[in-house]
Amino acid sequence: MNYSDQDILGQAFEDALEVLQQHSDGDIQYTPENETEAEILPPAETTPPAEQKKPKEDGTEQAKDEDDSASVNTPQADETTRSAERKDSVWSLGDGTPEEPEKHDNSQRSTLFIEKPQSGSVNVGENITFIAKVEAKDLLRKPTIKWFKGKWMDLASKAGKHLQLKETFERHSKVYTFEMQIIKAKENYGGNYRCEVTYKDKFDSCTFDLEVHETSQAAPSIDIRSAFKRSGEGQEDAGELDFSGLLKRREIKQEEEPEIDVWELLKNANPNEYEKIAFQYGITDLRGMLKRLKRMRREEKKSAAFSKILDPAYQVDKGGRVRFVVELADPTVELKWYKNGQEIRPSTKYIFEHKGNQRILFINNCTMADDARYHVTAGDEKCSTELFVREPPVVVTKALEDLSTYVGERIELSCEVSEEDANVKWFKNGVELTNEPRSRYRLKVDGKKHTLIIDEATKADNATYSVMTTGGQSAAKLAVDLRPLKIMQPLTDQTVMLGKEIALKCEISENIEGKWYKNGQLLPASDRVKLYHKGRIHRLVIASSVVDDEGDYMFVPDAYKVNIPCRVHVIDPPRLHLENLGDNNTVTVVAGNKLRLEIPISGEPTPKVMWSKGDKWIMETGGRIRAETYPDSSCLVIDIAERDDSGVYKIMLKNEAGEDSANINIKVVDVPDPPLAPNVTEVGEDWCFMNWEPPAYDGGSPILGYFIERKKKQSSRWMRLNFDLCKETTFEPKKMIEGVAYEVRVFAVNAVGISKPSMPSKAFVPLAVTSPPTLLAVDGVTDSTVTMKWRPPDHIGAAGLDGYVIEYCFEGTEEWIVANPDLTDKTRYTITDLPTGSRIFVRVKAVNAAGPSEPRLHPQPILVKEVIEPPKIRLPRHLKQTYIRRVGEAVNLVIPFQGRPRPKVSWKKNGASVDKNQINIRNSENDTIIFIRKAERSHSGKYDLKVKVENLVDKATIDIQVVDRPGPPHVVKIEDVWGENVALSWQPPKDDGNAAITGYTIQKADKKSMEWFTVIEHYHRTSATITELIIGNEYYFRIFAENMCGLSEDATMTTESAVIAKDGKVYKNPIYEDFNFTEAPMFTQPLINTYAVAGYNATLNCSVRGNPKPKITWMKNKVTILNDPRYRMFGNQGVCTLEIRKPNPYDGGTYTCKAVNELGEAAVECKLEVKGGLSFFRLLMQGVPPHIIHSYMQEMQAGNPEGK
């Protein structure tokens, strides 16, 4: 559904014509059904608010916004009138932007209001307040609230004398209260309002209506041409009815018909022509016309103060006099006159006159500022009217004249009109021209004279220019042409030396731009090429010419088919460019390679080139050595260079501008000869040391260094050892595998390349001695021997370890004596036959195929004399206490000790010798071990250890305790039975398992079932009272003993049973007070507002509790639902469900669930909205919020009434 601007205007004019026709026949009376409701078109079809907000030229925007928004929501009329008003509502939008209603689309829609503003009505001049309340219990800060009028107008910017916004907060109830108060309401305040509240991602809104009542009577027909012209100056409603902002790109009126009846013309014209006719006949305020007609159609209530009231409207010509007359019922009542709400005071312009009961107001010399609304008050009553000041049409008194001119000239098109400062519009080929700052067109107004100015004319200005007023028009043709061009000074041919300035100059008869061309290509300005234009002179300057600057140049003036050519010739003497050659112009070539020596040359014209070596000329014909000549270079070619080709070559250049020559030294070099086979002089674990002699011939270039390679003897793959040249003739290869045979070879390197490899060296095998032995220490000393011990070397190598050599020397001498003539593979050795009391130094060497290692020397001299060390038992900490093990576990105790010489060790158990058949004992020099494979209780006892060295003794005692589970208690008796209690006693078990009894476990069994149940655990005494037994039963009891190993395997049971007799005690049942489980109905989960899709089942759910079980009743719009097959009601565990089968839009409404029992009742309710058809469902599935879909569906239904 698309509405163009012409359709909207057309429909508005048709409605206006119909209203005036009815009014002129005297048939129209105001009823609520006659009011129309302006509805907003769907967003895709609405004029953008940015265009609607453009201020009119002669009015203020605020009054426009208030009046426009007032027409947005009024009571609904018939479908035709409503359609017309809806079209006109395109121009009646508020100040907001179209994005505002949708700015919360992505917010979570929630219910924040606990009280929403309600619709209301008010009389003109009275006050009204709208209240909204928001609960703040779950809010951390104050929510944001906005009040809107219509769809976009934000009322926060309108607060002032007539509108006040207030907010308060109640701390006890935690409720925010927001108020909007309208003070002294005006008629245009009526309409639809909206209140929005947001908090973080929560959003809620509601709409309400305001009706403003005012009494008025229908007025007689008025002249539309004079009624709807506004100057916009000095009026309260200035700018609100200015229709000139809608006039864009209108067509030029062909004929003037000032006497035509405008209403008849509008009736018979196409709606697309309404805008044009409105401008031609001075109707500039279309929307103002419609709004004033609406006021005329309202009926007035009968007044008690006035016997005759003002007419609804008056009309007067500009400069004329108008007379307002009212007749009072009571002549003593005070009367006041007002214009746009401002009281009128007597003056020369405003004259008051009394004639009996008549009160007359004269307004002299009426101007456009007097075009306003007037009212008169008598006591508490008033009556009002509209005054329309008719302005005479503006006509063109002096027409435009055709004009011919040349490009670049200043153009002025002038006309004169009948009124000063009149509204005049200019057009170019029917397109309106505006006086914008950056426009080429300037509009000048001097009284009645209006001028269109174009400073510099172009050919694009060829057009028909016209001027239009409200009463006439005029047109003229403008022709812009080029002046004939003359060449005052042509370009001249030039010959320029290379590097000199090129200056081209020409002069033409017109001051116009132009372009330069070189060889037919456009030549733009650059840092090197400078283009100058001053007046009629054009210059091209190149400060430093190059060879590429030679060519045909041409200047072409813009807009003319004329060119001015010339020729530029650049000359240059011959020159050799030897910058790329080395020092002394030396060129080195490798023997056997092809030499192509290219020497750049320059010169204009191209010079002649000659090559020579000594007295011999080098020709350009074929040969191993030849010359080749090209336009910008010359080449000396030697196909296969030889040593004899070395020498001095001469090149000579010559042309008509001069000559040049140079000597070039060519040197032929080759790779060096290979060196001799290298010698390996020393080897190590993974390295060797090698040297060689330089090659006999260095290839004509100094030797730069050498590359060394190696390989395994059994392999054929050589590996490069150095990637950086070795400058010396010695090298040390590393990272070889020990025990593998290798060969090495050498390459010589000069500037030309690498020589052939030398002959391989003799094969060699890297081997290394081991590292010294470690941890050399004294193991024992006697009067004639010293025993040493050590650990093997940390690194042995591929050569292995053959054995050790032990050497010693006496303190004070340097002679080392070998203690073992033969190698020993042991790491302990005793040096014998030493003199008692002597001091010796000892060292040990490891020996392999590579030789002996570095010696490991004992740091201190060793005294050859046996030393007695007292025995000392180092008893572990856990053996200083009783060592407890369970029967069957192993006992393995290691007790270290020390002493010299080797101590004697003895064990005793409980003072007697240890039976070695049951207990295993092993002794060494440093410790003793006692081992029992499976411990038995007989192994418990005190074990005494004695360590003895000669007469010195050390002792230690170890207490070993082997434990087991205890036996059962001894003799369990029933001592007494009374009531529900039995007293038991028993004696400790005879066998405690070699551990202390830690407690007892008591069990009972009913004689009937003989199932045992534990009564008491971990009980420490030998008597106990068993309570809470069942009267009438007969019980047996048994008891287990317990120690650290656990319960005894068997239990001792009482020989007799204990009977809990029924006689002797009367059992009394306890008295309990009944708990009151009754409660009134209470809903634990309320109903929630729901959207449903027509044709799809919908359910409403809530939960309730109460005792007795409450009766559930469902209601729709306060009416109980009974026996309706479209509804299913069921409940389960307090959850109440109402299912609506395939609802339609008529099923929407307020649903209530009511629960009643004898203690009270409770009810919850919700709103159900049923959206029609598949369109709503599809939108809902696409994620569109329901309130947006609801608004869209309403607009679609309003915009397509035929489809309802």
Side-chain angles (χ1 to χ4, degrees):
M1 183 169 58
N2 296 318
Y3 296 107
S4 65
D5 293 346
Q6 298 293 348
D7 294 336
I8 296 170
L9 296 175
Q11 187 63 48
F13 268 111
E14 290 175 0
D15 294 345
L17 290 173
E18 181 182 351
V19 170
L20 286 181
Q21 285 178 345
Q22 295 175 358
H23 184 272
S24 62
D25 297 337
D27 297 336
I28 188 167
Q29 294 293 331
Y30 171 77
T31 62
E33 288 77 9
N34 294 124
E35 284 193 300
T36 58
E37 177 180 357
E39 299 180 4
I40 305 303
L41 296 177
E45 303 161 5
T46 306
T47 304
E51 297 180 18
Q52 301 161 12
K53 289 178 62 179
K54 294 182 179 177
K56 304 300 178 74
E57 298 176 357
D58 54 354
T60 61
E61 185 177 354
Q62 182 176 357
K64 168 183 176 296
D65 294 336
E66 293 178 355
D67 259 358
D68 291 353
S69 60
S71 65
V72 175
N73 287 280
T74 54
Q76 181 172 334
D78 55 41
E79 293 299 324
T80 304
T81 307
R82 190 176 105 178
S83 176
E85 286 298 309
R86 182 172 63 252
K87 293 180 180 181
D88 184 50
S89 67
V90 174
W91 311 100
S92 303
L93 302 180
D95 282 344
T97 60
E99 290 79 14
E100 289 181 355
E102 283 76 24
K103 67 184 178 181
H104 296 295
D105 285 356
N106 296 328
S107 300
Q108 178 184 354
R109 187 68 182 266
S110 63
T111 303
L112 295 175
F113 286 115
I114 59 175
E115 181 178 333
K116 298 182 179 180
Q118 303 298 322
S119 301
S121 61
V122 67
N123 293 327
V124 173
E126 294 180 354
N127 302 341
I128 187 171
T129 302
F130 297 94
I131 299 176
K133 292 186 178 181
V134 177
E135 188 175 20
K137 290 183 179 179
D138 299 329
L139 308 184
L140 299 180
R141 56 179 177 81
K142 185 182 74 174
T144 303
I145 193 165
K146 290 187 178 181
W147 300 85
F148 295 91
K149 182 179 182 188
K151 200 167 187 180
W152 292 293
M153 183 187 293
D154 190 349
L155 296 180
S157 61
K158 307 295 182 181
K161 181 173 68 173
H162 294 283
L163 177 67
Q164 292 185 1
L165 304 177
K166 186 173 68 173
E167 59 185 49
T168 58
F169 178 68
E170 299 178 9
R171 296 186 178 273
H172 298 292
S173 59
K174 293 186 179 180
V175 173
Y176 284 99
T177 303
F178 301 90
E179 298 182 3
M180 181 183 74
Q181 185 177 14
I182 298 177
I183 304 172
K184 295 182 179 180
K186 295 183 180 181
E187 182 185 0
N188 59 357
Y189 290 179
N192 179 261
Y193 290 78
R194 187 172 79 257
C195 179
E196 292 183 356
V197 61
T198 57
Y199 176 77
K200 293 186 178 178
D201 58 342
K202 298 181 179 180
F203 167 72
D204 201 359
S205 69
C206 65
T207 59
F208 55 94
D209 296 325
L210 172 63
E211 294 183 6
V212 181
H213 302 293
E214 181 182 9
T215 58
S216 61
Q217 279 189 343
S221 61
I222 57 176
D223 185 358
I224 187 173
R225 293 178 59 186
S226 61
F228 297 100
K229 295 179 183 178
R230 285 290 174 89
S231 64
E233 298 178 357
Q235 302 178 30
E236 183 184 10
D237 295 338
E240 67 172 329
L241 302 177
D242 187 4
F243 191 66
S244 61
L246 302 177
L247 304 180
K248 301 292 182 181
R249 298 187 178 181
R250 60 181 60 81
E251 298 182 0
I252 301 174
K253 179 181 175 184
Q254 301 297 327
E255 294 184 80
E256 290 191 14
E257 297 182 11
E259 300 302 329
I260 292 179
D261 185 353
V262 179
W263 285 115
E264 291 298 327
L265 184 63
L266 293 175
K267 289 179 182 179
N268 301 324
N270 190 309
N272 294 335
E273 300 292 329
Y274 285 170
E275 181 180 347
K276 172 181 171 184
I277 296 172
F279 178 79
Q280 291 176 349
Y281 292 95
I283 303 174
T284 61
D285 193 2
L286 177 59
R287 288 193 300 117
M289 175 192 73
L290 297 177
K291 294 174 72 173
R292 291 199 177 190
L293 289 176
K294 186 190 300 183
R295 294 174 184 171
M296 293 167 54
R297 290 158 49 188
R298 296 178 181 170
E299 68 173 354
E300 267 188 7
K301 297 179 182 178
K302 291 184 179 181
S303 173
F306 297 98
S307 57
K308 181 180 180 181
I309 63 174
L310 294 172
D311 293 337
Y314 292 83
Q315 173 181 315
V316 66
D317 292 335
K318 183 178 180 182
R321 181 183 185 188
V322 68
R323 176 174 176 266
F324 295 153
V325 180
V326 296
E327 186 173 337
L328 300 175
D330 183 5
T332 63
V333 176
E334 182 181 1
L335 195 74
K336 291 185 180 181
W337 294 88
Y338 294 88
K339 172 187 175 182
N340 287 337
Q342 301 293 326
E343 185 178 355
I344 301 174
R345 302 293 183 184
S347 64
T348 56
K349 184 177 181 66
Y350 302 101
I351 299 174
F352 300 113
E353 183 177 332
H354 295 185
K355 288 184 180 181
N357 288 353
Q358 288 186 345
R359 299 294 183 265
I360 305 172
L361 169 64
F362 292 95
I363 303 176
N364 298 322
N365 192 20
C366 291
T367 65
M368 298 307 295
D370 296 321
D371 188 309
R373 183 174 181 83
Y374 294 82
H375 72 270
V376 57
T377 62
D380 295 335
E381 296 191 21
K382 71 173 183 177
C383 63
S384 59
T385 187
E386 291 279 348
L387 175 60
F388 297 94
V389 180
R390 181 171 57 188
E391 185 178 10
V394 178
V395 299
V396 179
T397 58
K398 183 179 179 180
L400 297 175
E401 296 180 357
D402 293 344
L403 179 62
S404 297
T405 185
Y406 292 108
V407 173
E409 296 292 335
R410 176 186 172 91
I411 299 173
E412 292 187 2
L413 296 175
S414 300
C415 71
E416 294 184 4
V417 296
S418 59
E419 296 289 338
E420 292 187 359
D421 299 329
N423 184 16
V424 176
K425 296 188 179 296
W426 289 86
F427 297 86
K428 175 185 177 183
N429 291 335
V431 179
E432 184 178 353
L433 302 178
T434 58
N435 195 13
E436 296 180 355
R438 297 184 180 180
S439 176
R440 295 184 60 251
Y441 305 99
R442 293 189 295 114
L443 306 180
K444 179 180 178 183
V445 180
D446 185 8
K448 298 181 181 180
K449 185 178 180 180
H450 293 255
T451 307
L452 172 64
I453 301 174
I454 305 174
D455 288 331
E456 294 185 3
T458 63
K459 297 201 70 173
D461 295 325
N462 280 310
T464 299
Y465 293 83
S466 59
V467 63
M468 179 181 289
T469 66
T470 58
Q473 63 180 3
S474 177
K477 292 185 178 180
L478 174 61
V480 182
D481 206 350
L482 298 173
R483 294 179 186 274
L485 185 68
K486 296 181 180 180
I487 301 175
M488 312 301 294
Q489 179 183 345
L491 298 175
T492 58
D493 295 342
Q494 293 187 12
T495 299
V496 183
M497 291 293 293
L498 185 68
K500 300 298 182 181
E501 181 184 72
I502 299 175
L504 304 180
K505 176 182 177 182
C506 67
E507 182 178 356
I508 56 180
S509 59
E510 297 296 329
N511 181 14
I512 59 176
E513 298 288 340
K515 296 181 177 60
W516 289 88
Y517 293 86
K518 175 188 172 185
N519 296 331
Q521 300 294 325
L522 179 65
L523 183 62
S526 64
D527 294 339
R528 205 173 66 84
V529 179
K530 306 295 183 182
L531 304 180
Y532 300 96
H533 173 211
K534 184 176 182 181
R536 298 179 298 177
I537 299 176
H538 294 264
R539 293 190 301 123
L540 182 147
V541 177
I542 301 176
S544 179
S545 62
V546 297
V547 175
D548 292 340
D549 292 331
E550 182 172 339
D552 294 323
Y553 288 79
M554 178 173 58
F555 176 75
V556 179
D558 289 347
Y560 288 91
K561 296 182 179 180
V562 177
N563 61 75
I564 307 173
C566 72
R567 173 73 181 175
V568 175
H569 181 55
V570 180
I571 64 174
D572 185 22
R575 182 184 174 192
L576 289 166
H577 300 277
L578 305 176
E579 294 82 1
N580 295 330
L581 297 181
D583 296 338
N584 300 322
N585 295 338
T586 300
V587 177
T588 302
V589 61
V590 178
N593 290 349
K594 180 178 181 179
L595 172 64
R596 183 179 180 86
L597 178 61
E598 183 174 0
I599 305 298
I601 62 175
S602 62
E604 189 64 32
T606 303
K608 183 179 180 181
V609 183
M610 293 175 289
W611 286 86
S612 65
K613 180 184 179 184
D615 297 334
K616 184 178 180 182
W617 295 98
I618 299 175
M619 309 304 293
E620 295 185 1
T621 57
R624 193 175 62 84
I625 301 176
R626 62 185 182 277
E628 296 178 358
T629 302
Y630 300 95
D632 57 352
S633 64
S634 180
C635 291
L636 175 64
V637 180
I638 302 177
D639 285 337
I640 300 175
E642 300 176 355
R643 294 183 182 180
D644 296 338
D645 295 332
S646 300
V648 178
Y649 291 76
K650 184 176 182 180
I651 180 173
M652 293 179 291
L653 303 180
K654 185 174 182 181
N655 69 358
E656 57 183 341
E659 62 181 22
D660 192 11
S661 64
N663 292 328
I664 300 173
N665 184 22
I666 295 178
K667 183 178 180 182
V668 180
V669 297
D670 201 355
V671 296
D673 290 342
L676 299 177
N679 297 319
V680 178
T681 59
E682 187 177 356
V683 294
E685 176 184 5
D686 62 347
W687 57 273
C688 71
F689 189 80
M690 57 183 290
N691 57 29
W692 62 90
E693 295 295 332
Y697 173 64
D698 61 3
S701 179
I703 298 296
L704 301 178
Y706 301 91
F707 286 120
I708 296 91
E709 292 183 348
R710 78 171 182 217
K711 76 175 182 68
K712 297 178 182 178
K713 185 177 181 181
Q714 303 300 327
S715 174
S716 60
R717 186 172 66 88
W718 291 90
M719 183 178 68
R720 177 72 56 86
L721 300 182
N722 62 318
F723 294 95
D724 295 330
L725 289 175
C726 176
K727 305 295 184 181
E728 307 296 334
T729 58
T730 59
F731 190 75
E732 184 178 350
K734 296 181 179 179
K735 297 183 179 180
M736 291 184 286
I737 301 174
E738 187 178 1
V740 178
Y742 287 91
E743 294 178 347
V744 292
R745 66 182 183 181
V746 182
F747 295 83
V749 181
N750 64 2
V752 178
I754 304 175
S755 69
K756 294 181 180 180
S758 68
M759 294 298 294
S761 66
K762 294 181 180 180
F764 62 93
V765 178
L767 290 175
V769 297
T770 66
S771 61
T774 59
L775 302 178
L776 177 62
V778 177
D779 192 39
V781 179
T782 65
D783 290 340
S784 61
T785 63
V786 172
T787 303
M788 305 297 296
K789 63 179 180 180
W790 61 90
R791 299 294 297 167
D794 292 334
H795 179 71
I796 295 177
L801 179 62
D802 296 337
Y804 300 95
V805 173
I806 299 90
E807 297 178 341
Y808 67 93
C809 73
F810 292 99
E811 185 179 22
T813 65
E814 296 182 358
E815 180 183 359
W816 288 94
I817 303 171
V818 177
N820 56 328
D822 299 326
L823 295 178
T824 178
D825 56 355
K826 305 295 184 183
T827 56
R828 187 172 180 274
Y829 188 80
T830 301
I831 305 174
T832 59
D833 300 330
L834 296 175
T836 303
S838 62
R839 292 177 178 271
I840 63 172
F841 288 95
V842 179
R843 68 183 184 184
V844 179
K845 296 179 181 179
V847 181
N848 65 359
S853 69
E854 292 293 326
R856 175 67 67 185
L857 175 67
H858 191 274
Q860 301 295 333
I862 302 170
L863 177 63
V864 183
K865 183 178 180 182
E866 189 169 9
V867 178
I868 298 176
E869 181 181 353
K872 177 65 176 178
I873 300 174
R874 299 189 178 278
L875 191 65
R877 180 177 299 177
H878 68 281
L879 296 180
K880 293 180 179 180
Q881 301 174 356
T882 301
Y883 184 72
I884 301 175
R885 305 298 287 175
R886 294 189 179 186
V887 172
E889 294 181 346
V891 177
N892 187 12
L893 304 179
V894 179
I895 299 92
F897 57 81
Q898 63 186 27
R900 295 288 179 182
R902 180 174 179 171
K904 296 180 180 179
V905 180
S906 62
W907 285 90
K908 287 187 178 182
K909 175 187 175 185
N910 297 328
S913 299
V914 175
D915 185 0
K916 293 184 179 180
N917 294 326
Q918 297 182 2
I919 301 174
N920 297 321
I921 297 176
R922 184 182 65 82
N923 299 323
S924 67
E925 295 181 357
N926 299 319
D927 56 25
T928 178
I929 299 174
I930 181 171
F931 176 74
I932 303 174
R933 186 176 300 277
K934 290 185 179 181
E936 298 179 0
R937 291 175 59 179
S938 60
H939 294 150
S940 301
K942 294 184 180 293
Y943 290 78
D944 297 322
L945 170 64
K946 183 172 69 174
V947 178
K948 182 178 180 181
V949 176
E950 294 185 355
N951 296 327
L952 301 176
V953 178
D954 192 16
K955 297 180 179 180
T957 302
I958 301 174
D959 189 1
I960 298 177
Q961 181 179 356
V962 180
V963 298
D964 198 0
R965 290 195 294 178
H970 184 59
V971 184
V972 179
K973 297 180 180 180
I974 297 176
E975 297 291 344
D976 192 10
V977 178
W978 74 97
E980 303 171 1
N981 307 311
V982 174
L984 302 177
S985 66
W986 62 90
Q987 294 180 6
K990 295 181 179 180
D991 181 10
D992 60 0
N994 202 23
I997 300 298
T998 58
Y1000 300 91
T1001 297
I1002 305 173
Q1003 294 182 346
K1004 68 178 180 178
D1006 188 3
K1007 183 178 180 181
K1008 296 178 181 179
S1009 63
M1010 289 307 292
E1011 293 183 5
W1012 293 98
F1013 298 94
T1014 300
V1015 179
I1016 302 176
E1017 291 182 312
H1018 313 302
Y1019 189 74
H1020 297 286
R1021 299 180 181 179
T1022 57
S1023 63
T1025 300
I1026 310 303
T1027 62
E1028 298 181 357
L1029 299 175
I1030 298 175
I1031 296 175
N1033 289 358
E1034 187 175 354
Y1035 292 94
Y1036 285 95
F1037 300 91
R1038 68 180 183 183
I1039 301 175
F1040 292 87
E1042 182 180 6
N1043 66 1
M1044 61 183 298
C1045 294
L1047 295 176
S1048 60
E1049 294 182 359
D1050 300 323
T1052 303
M1053 189 176 71
T1054 56
T1055 57
E1056 300 176 353
S1057 63
V1059 179
I1060 309 301
K1062 296 183 179 180
D1063 299 331
K1065 182 177 180 181
V1066 179
Y1067 177 77
K1068 294 182 179 180
N1069 292 324
I1071 300 175
Y1072 297 100
E1073 294 183 1
D1074 294 335
F1075 183 82
N1076 186 11
F1077 289 93
T1078 62
E1079 65 173 338
M1082 181 178 67
F1083 283 91
T1084 59
Q1085 176 64 38
L1087 295 173
I1088 59 174
N1089 294 337
T1090 306
Y1091 289 90
V1093 180
Y1096 293 84
N1097 290 358
T1099 59
L1100 302 178
N1101 298 284
C1102 63
S1103 62
V1104 65
R1105 72 182 186 190
N1107 191 16
K1109 182 178 180 181
K1111 179 181 179 181
I1112 305 301
T1113 304
W1114 286 90
M1115 294 181 287
K1116 174 189 176 185
N1117 295 331
K1118 306 301 182 181
V1119 177
T1120 304
I1121 301 174
L1122 294 174
N1123 301 325
D1124 193 335
R1126 293 184 302 111
Y1127 297 91
R1128 288 181 58 203
M1129 293 167 282
F1130 46 90
N1132 183 22
Q1133 299 294 327
V1135 178
C1136 305
T1137 303
L1138 175 65
E1139 181 181 12
I1140 307 171
R1141 298 183 178 179
K1142 298 183 179 180
N1144 56 49
Y1146 297 102
D1147 291 326
T1150 300
Y1151 285 81
T1152 305
C1153 180
K1154 185 176 181 181
V1156 180
N1157 68 4
E1158 60 189 28
L1159 298 180
E1161 65 180 37
V1164 291
E1165 64 180 21
C1166 70
K1167 291 183 179 180
L1168 174 67
E1169 294 187 30
V1170 181
K1171 305 299 182 180
L1174 189 57
S1175 298
F1176 176 85
F1177 180 72
R1178 287 179 177 174
L1179 293 174
L1180 191 64
M1181 291 300 99
Q1182 293 173 3
V1184 181
H1187 71 280
I1188 299 300
I1189 303 175
H1190 178 65
S1191 176
Y1192 174 76
M1193 297 296 292
Q1194 285 186 340
E1195 291 169 355
M1196 291 298 294
Q1197 293 173 2
N1200 188 16
E1202 296 79 1
K1204 290 186 178 180

